[in-house]
Amino acid sequence: MRIDRLRPSFVADIPETLEPGVLYLALEYDAMAHLCACGCGAEVATPIGPTDWRIAWNGVGMTVRPSIGNGSLACRSHYVIEAGRINWCAPMSDRDIAGERARTAAAKGLTPYPSARQAEPPEPQIAQPLAAQAPWYIRAWRQIVGS
Ligand SMILES: [Zn+2]
């Protein structure tokens, strides 16, 4: 069943089991996770950062930018979280996914990319399954050593 709202839950760490309709935020680790809003049950991890997802709280709900494109999930759902509400977008096509991977990599400085294109905002961004991401301490270390 599709979810149309995500309620924020501020946690010390992302729990093992996620509940539908909850947007978990572990700000200490810049970590954010929720179950895919389409109802498929997949965990969607959206790390918080300047080249990842950005969040804003308006006192009613959490706004998350850019959109959440679940191109790596079977459902390929794609939506925007706006003040806690899910605004649905068209499912991601293969072309969206390939284009977005390149843009995201360029935004993160991983691949050379023409400078004119580099200014484009990375939208939507591919969310990776939770397990595919490096633990926070590895990411923190990489930031420190700059690799
Ligand atoms: Zn889904």
Side-chain angles (χ1 to χ4, degrees):
M1 199 180 74
R2 270 189 174 192
I3 287 162
D4 59 5
R5 292 196 77 86
L6 282 176
R7 142 180 95 74
S9 175
F10 295 91
V11 291
D13 208 345
I14 303 294
E16 291 269 316
T17 310
L18 307 183
E19 285 191 26
V22 180
L23 182 66
Y24 295 90
L25 296 118
L27 296 183
E28 195 178 342
Y29 306 133
D30 293 331
M32 180 166 59
H34 65 281
L35 290 182
C36 178
C38 89
C40 69
E43 292 182 353
V44 179
T46 49
I48 302 161
T51 60
D52 291 307
W53 280 269
R54 296 173 302 283
I55 56 173
W57 170 251
N58 73 350
V60 177
M62 198 61 80
T63 295
V64 179
R65 287 287 185 278
S67 64
I68 296 176
N70 289 319
S72 60
L73 300 181
C75 68
R76 294 197 171 184
S77 65
H78 182 200
Y79 44 87
V80 177
I81 303 173
E82 181 78 45
R85 293 188 63 86
I86 304 290
N87 290 336
W88 292 93
C89 310
M92 297 192 78
S93 66
D94 288 335
R95 211 163 145 255
D96 291 339
I97 293 165
E100 191 32 46
R101 290 224 164 100
R103 270 194 298 279
T104 302
K108 290 176 180 291
L110 300 177
T111 55
Y113 214 68
S115 55
R117 299 291 305 273
Q118 211 155 12
E120 284 181 22
E123 191 157 353
Q125 185 146 302
I126 307 281
Q128 297 297 322
L130 211 50
Q133 296 197 7
W136 67 268
Y137 47 86
I138 304 273
R139 287 190 287 121
W141 173 251
R142 283 182 189 148
Q143 274 173 12
I144 292 164
V145 300
S147 64

